[in-house]
Amino acid sequence: MVSKSSLEAEVAIRNMHNPPVLRSLHIDRFHAEPAIFRAPGRVNLIGEHTDYAEGFVMPAAINFATLAGISPRTDGKIVIYSENFGEEMVFDAAALPRIRTRHWSDYPMGVVHVLAGEGHAIPGFSLSLWGDVPLGSGLSSSASVEVATALAVESLIGANDPGPVLARLCQRAENEFVGASCGIMDQFISVNGKEDHALLLDCRDLSFRLAPIPDHVALVIANTMVKHSVAGGDYTTRRAEVEDATRVLARHRPEIRFLRDATLADLDQWGHEMAPKSRMRARHIISENLRTVAAADALMRGDMAELGRLMAEAHRSYSQDFEASCVEADTMVDLAQDLPGLIGARLTGGGFGGCTINLVEQKDADAFAAALGGRYAAQIGIVPEIYVCHAAGGAGRLDQA
Ligand code: ADP
Ligand code: MG
């Protein structure tokens, strides 16, 4: 049995980047000066599993990112090195892979595949990747790799797609090549995030509103360090249940193409025709859309108490109706409740583990992180990582100096 105080001392609190070493790493390996691009990960403040229902989400880009360095080659090869994996992969630009290999290189090669499909001639290049977005923790390292790669390759081939097009292209890389059925949120916020702002995105037409996050508020992200794959309970199953509920409602109101078009009154009227689980999933999504728009309004007028209340309600709905939480995430949210400085806490991302997002008064953020980490370690027996973040700007080119 590990004592509480020794666990507390071990809790990893990260609030600083390692300085980017990508340029020297690229030069040492490839003997060429790279152009360097940065694409951030993200945290979703509210709006979970609403993106593929053409609803609303409100993420912020965070100050953890993937960097991609690129330089041309003359041998017709595409050589991709990931510093995170310490591994180099070699492809032939004239004979691009058509299918995934379930390897990390699927993410950058998915982007190349989509660009080639758009009619771009793809030359040989060297690409180096390094990121400090925790991998597989729900902070979207995958979108950050895709977006950084897309910017890098587009610069090489002289393409310059506008932000929303770039985001769609990266989403397609993940849907069509990697084989993950994600919505548009992750790629969109990585491209279009704005420093110190959250972004309310309408996933129907990709229109958005920026809502300033006040200076006195920190984004404290708590990684449960678990990722469950629940039998019959994963992301894909949830999507199928949601589509099921949508079909039932559309029988009565054909204009309902997605749950975005449905109301809680529709659900009251016709919910009994659905499987009970589908009805619960639909209740989460329909109410989550309302909460997400209300949360953006609250943030716009600086009403942090209302934002916190909506986050708490969103967590309950995600946990009870969508059943996408787990003991560890529920515990992380519960343990935050009486800590000084908390504004609101909820599980963020696709579910079944990953991270919670805590909006916390900046002055209390470090103490909050230490206390939450200690409590979680003592109760669950796993030392969490806690990241004290702020909302960062979207993807772009870095100075080469
Ligand atoms: P999340 O997006 O929440 O971090 P995913 O499972 O969607 O989790 O994506 C994680 C995967 O993305 C990794 O397992 C790896 O294949 C790829 N990836 C992320 N960052 C990098 C990186 N720096 N280098 C290479 N591959 C990466
Ligand atoms: Mg991902």
Side-chain angles (χ1 to χ4, degrees):
M1 187 72 188
V2 190
S3 78
K4 184 178 173 203
S5 57
S6 75
L7 279 168
E8 248 169 29
E10 284 173 34
V11 169
I13 297 174
R14 274 194 14 209
N15 54 14
M16 250 191 297
H17 276 282
N18 299 320
V21 290
L22 193 75
R23 177 171 176 264
S24 55
L25 185 154
H26 188 99
I27 293 173
D28 288 351
R29 176 167 291 267
F30 297 119
H31 312 293
E33 181 74 47
I36 300 184
F37 298 82
R38 168 195 155 277
R42 63 97 187 96
V43 67
N44 192 19
L45 303 188
I46 191 165
E48 227 60 80
H49 284 253
T50 44
D51 59 354
Y52 56 79
E54 296 208 343
F56 296 92
V57 294
M58 190 166 68
I62 54 175
N63 53 318
F64 294 135
T66 299
L67 304 185
I70 195 162
S71 57
R73 296 177 72 96
T74 52
D75 61 1
K77 290 192 178 0
I78 293 175
V79 183
I80 307 182
Y81 173 73
S82 167
E83 170 71 359
N84 296 72
F85 287 88
E87 192 181 16
E88 185 177 285
M89 299 296 287
V90 181
F91 304 88
D92 182 351
L96 292 172
R98 286 175 210 281
I99 50 164
R100 66 179 171 192
T101 55
R102 298 184 184 279
H103 184 264
W104 61 261
S105 56
D106 287 348
Y107 292 85
M109 287 310 286
V111 170
V112 172
H113 175 84
V114 170
L115 283 170
E118 290 291 292
H120 293 292
I122 306 292
F125 60 83
S126 304
L127 183 77
S128 47
L129 298 168
W130 169 87
D132 64 355
V133 186
L135 270 58
S137 299
L139 302 179
S140 213
S141 67
S142 60
S144 72
V145 167
E146 291 150 12
V147 171
T149 301
L151 284 175
V153 176
E154 287 213 342
S155 84
L156 191 75
I157 62 181
N160 189 12
D161 281 321
V165 176
L166 197 77
R168 276 278 182 231
L169 198 140
C170 291
Q171 182 199 10
R172 283 181 50 208
E174 189 147 345
N175 292 164
E176 296 167 17
F177 196 84
V178 175
S181 53
C182 61
I184 185 68
M185 166 168 70
D186 301 356
Q187 293 80 6
F188 194 91
I189 186 67
S190 183
V191 171
N192 296 298
K194 181 162 182 219
E195 179 141 39
D196 298 327
H197 287 72
L199 185 153
L200 175 73
L201 176 66
D202 182 340
C203 298
R204 167 150 284 171
D205 60 8
L206 301 189
S207 61
F208 64 89
R209 266 198 294 156
L210 288 163
I213 299 175
D215 279 357
H216 62 88
V217 176
L219 309 178
V220 181
I221 299 171
N223 192 338
T224 63
M225 314 301 278
V226 300
K227 185 74 199 167
H228 299 288
S229 60
V230 186
D234 62 6
Y235 187 91
T236 314
T237 316
R238 289 295 180 279
R239 285 195 68 152
E241 289 163 343
V242 168
E243 279 159 24
D244 218 48
T246 312
R247 261 193 304 276
V248 170
L249 295 180
R251 280 208 296 267
H252 300 281
R253 284 215 297 124
E255 64 275 26
I256 297 178
R257 290 191 301 120
F258 293 91
L259 286 184
R260 155 66 179 278
D261 305 308
T263 64
L264 289 169
D266 293 329
L267 201 60
D268 282 345
Q269 203 168 348
W270 298 302
H272 65 276
E273 295 177 18
M274 299 168 190
K277 294 283 184 201
S278 296
R279 184 180 191 169
M280 287 158 65
R281 309 313 181 226
R283 187 164 57 206
H284 166 73
I285 292 187
I286 297 170
S287 63
E288 186 84 342
N289 274 326
L290 297 170
R291 277 189 295 271
T292 303
V293 174
D297 290 341
L299 190 52
M300 295 282 216
R301 57 174 197 274
D303 186 347
M304 292 297 133
E306 174 66 359
L307 178 58
R309 195 191 64 73
L310 289 162
M311 288 173 73
E313 211 177 287
H315 183 76
R316 251 192 321 276
S317 171
Y318 202 33
S319 178
Q320 291 170 15
D321 274 349
F322 215 71
E323 296 182 290
S325 190
C326 56
V327 171
E328 293 85 352
D330 284 344
T331 301
M332 193 73 93
V333 168
D334 287 347
L335 292 175
Q337 293 307 317
D338 65 342
L339 288 176
L342 180 76
I343 296 165
R346 53 176 289 279
L347 171 60
T348 183
F352 312 107
C355 293
T356 67
I357 168 70
N358 302 267
L359 294 191
V360 180
E361 293 293 341
Q362 184 71 60
K363 65 177 178 14
D364 297 314
D366 288 340
F368 176 95
L372 180 61
R375 284 179 168 188
Y376 180 83
Q379 184 141 337
I380 298 289
I382 299 172
V383 178
E385 286 184 358
I386 315 262
Y387 321 114
V388 180
C389 295
H390 62 262
R397 185 165 181 164
L398 288 187
D399 286 355
Q400 290 175 56

